[in-house]
Amino acid sequence: MAKLAFQTLDDHSTPFWALIAFHVALVAAGLGAALYMEENGHIVTGMNNQVVWGLPHVFAVFLIVAASGALNVASVSSVFNRLAYKPYARLSGLLAIALLIGGLAVLVLDLGRPDRLLVAMTTYNFKSIFAWNIYLYSGFVVIVAAYLFSMMDRQAAKSAAFGKAMGWLAFGWRLALTTGTGSIFGFLIAREAYDAAILAPLFIAASFLYGLAFTVLVLLTMSRETRDELMPEEMLGKFRGLLAIFALAVLYFTAVQHVTKLYSAAHQGVELFLLRDGGVFPLVFWLGQIGIGTVLPLALLAFAPRGTKGRLAIELASALFLIGGLAQLYVIIIGGQAFPLALFPGMEVSSPALDGEVGRYVPALPELLLGASGVSMAMLIVALALRLMPFLPKAPAGEVSANAATAQGLGASDPMPSGRTL
């Protein structure tokens, strides 16, 4: 195998700077929204005493789950020794850290009183899965950073054993992290929509899909920016196949989750609420998660042609998978809270505290801005790191990408340009 080479992001086009400006503006808007909610309280949001985890939590969990999956490419290259994925391992680790930081930032700002974060990090209740997750999240950043060091430092890179050990440690830790995140909901037995052990493997499968979708989108965007083919047709086909497999895995676990609950008489009420009678939640599930977020992108992957149109189809499919992921978590997190608690099973309950009633929730603009700013924060971290350090792969000298040829308006018979190589 040829020696790998990497590059920084040196040249910036107008669309790139426009994208950076958009992300900066969105992060500023998110911080402003967090300050607004901090000063005025939850009364300015759609949250209430029944729905206490709102849209920011949906974005936060989405980014945390995606962070674990973004490391998948690096794990495939080191743990499973698939050398074709090795050029993308650095970017994979960078994306994992950036997405986790974006998700945790949204989570901390949404919970309020970020000044007391140090108390939460030093005072533990080990009977709570939330306390364990603090170790999982902080440990993930440290381990992935060490994993990147083993790949990027010249001396450390010479030790194959050290890199392999860090790869296995990161692989095991990311599975534990996603299991812990899914268990936050799986352990909440009071909520009928959550009480399910299958949420842990469902979140693991979802992390594979969301993380790879983010990776594909970043690689294709950087291909246009650098005018290099960061993903040759062979690798594009591999990523397309993995996206389809992971999407089908998520669909399978989702089906098992709902069919299992429908089989249980005790859970039929909440399932009918989420799948048929719950107003907006069945719409978000069937149209958002299943239609737009699963069936449509799978069709795009199945019929994507080769060449530029195929790349656009895969890019669109990746974006749709991410939209489907947000829809899935919206149904799980918001829908699970909106369904009334069964305080006295088999009996009707009513009280001035709205016990027994379906919770009403309409996301407010500050919630949307805060949640979306987490994605922008992650992308800004990635862009800054790509500018400062060599995370992007580079082809051997003499190879010229189709993007470079297209950008310079060359035809099939034109001589090759002497510009940058991959």
Side-chain angles (χ1 to χ4, degrees):
M1 182 177 178
K3 184 178 179 179
L4 296 178
F6 296 87
Q7 61 180 318
T8 58
L9 186 61
D10 294 327
D11 303 322
H12 308 307
S13 63
T14 300
F16 175 82
W17 284 115
L19 188 61
I20 292 296
F22 170 78
H23 286 310
V24 169
L26 196 51
V27 169
L31 293 175
L35 180 61
Y36 175 69
M37 291 186 288
E38 179 76 16
E39 291 295 322
N40 295 277
H42 276 186
I43 191 66
V44 298
T45 72
M47 292 178 275
N48 49 60
N49 288 337
Q50 293 167 289
V51 180
V52 297
W53 292 343
L55 191 60
H57 262 67
V58 173
F59 274 94
V61 174
F62 171 73
L63 289 170
I64 291 170
V65 170
S68 170
L71 195 62
N72 193 53
V73 174
S75 297
V76 170
S77 69
S78 60
V79 175
F80 301 103
N81 202 32
R82 295 290 187 252
L83 299 183
Y85 296 90
K86 198 170 184 62
Y88 312 105
R90 293 184 180 186
L91 180 63
S92 174
L94 170 63
L95 263 175
I97 292 177
L99 290 170
L100 183 64
I101 291 175
L104 293 179
V106 172
L107 192 63
V108 169
L109 292 174
D110 180 52
L111 291 175
R113 293 299 301 273
D115 55 297
R116 294 184 61 81
L117 177 62
L118 186 62
V119 176
M121 295 180 65
T122 55
T123 305
Y124 301 112
N125 171 19
F126 289 107
K127 294 182 179 180
S128 169
I129 189 64
F130 295 97
W132 286 103
N133 279 332
I134 291 178
Y135 278 108
L136 291 173
Y137 297 153
S138 57
F140 182 81
V141 174
V142 173
I143 290 171
V144 176
Y147 188 24
L148 284 173
F149 175 80
S150 73
M151 290 186 278
M152 300 180 69
D153 182 76
R154 291 183 179 181
Q155 295 300 322
K158 294 179 181 179
S159 174
F162 177 67
K164 193 80 170 179
M166 292 309 306
W168 274 104
L169 179 60
F171 176 71
W173 200 276
R174 55 170 286 224
L175 292 180
L177 182 148
T178 318
T179 301
T181 305
S183 297
I184 290 175
F185 305 98
F187 289 176
L188 290 178
I189 60 175
R191 294 285 183 183
E192 296 179 40
Y194 296 162
D195 181 20
I198 201 172
L199 284 175
L202 172 61
F203 272 49
I204 290 176
S207 74
F208 291 166
L209 178 60
Y210 308 158
L212 184 59
F214 268 116
T215 304
V216 169
L217 287 174
V218 170
L219 280 171
L220 290 176
T221 301
M222 291 301 102
S223 293
R224 288 192 295 269
E225 179 62 26
T226 61
R227 299 180 181 179
D228 287 334
E229 292 292 357
L230 301 184
M231 284 198 299
E233 286 295 331
E234 179 184 0
M235 288 307 303
L236 199 66
K238 292 179 183 293
F239 283 131
R240 177 171 63 181
L242 286 175
L243 283 171
I245 292 172
F246 295 154
L248 291 173
V250 173
L251 184 62
Y252 167 76
F253 282 115
T254 301
V256 171
Q257 176 197 10
H258 290 294
V259 169
T260 302
K261 285 186 174 291
L262 281 171
Y263 185 79
S264 169
H267 294 92
Q268 285 183 1
V270 68
E271 281 301 308
L272 292 177
F273 173 78
L274 295 176
L275 301 180
R276 189 189 68 186
D277 305 328
V280 68
F281 300 110
L283 180 64
V284 173
F285 176 80
W286 292 109
L287 180 61
Q289 180 185 349
I290 303 301
I292 297 175
T294 303
V295 176
L296 180 56
L298 282 175
L300 287 173
L301 294 178
F303 299 105
R306 295 178 65 87
T308 303
K309 291 185 178 179
R311 290 175 179 271
L312 291 176
I314 294 173
E315 190 170 13
L316 177 58
S318 299
L320 291 176
F321 282 134
L322 296 181
I323 293 173
L326 286 170
Q328 178 183 27
L329 290 172
Y330 188 91
V331 172
I332 292 175
I333 296 175
I334 308 298
Q337 296 174 90
F339 189 77
L341 288 168
L343 299 177
F344 300 97
M347 304 181 66
E348 293 186 6
V349 178
S350 63
S351 76
L354 303 179
D355 291 323
E357 297 186 19
V358 173
R360 297 180 180 181
Y361 174 75
V362 178
L365 179 60
E367 296 178 79
L368 177 61
L369 292 175
L370 175 58
S373 69
V375 181
S376 291
M377 183 180 297
M379 294 302 101
L380 285 176
I381 293 173
V382 171
L384 179 62
L386 293 180
R387 180 67 181 86
L388 297 177
M389 302 183 70
F391 284 97
L392 291 174
K394 185 176 183 179
E399 293 188 13
V400 179
S401 71
N403 278 344
T406 302
Q408 298 190 25
L410 298 177
S413 60
D414 292 322
M416 287 296 182
S418 59
R420 87 158 50 224
T421 57
L422 187 67

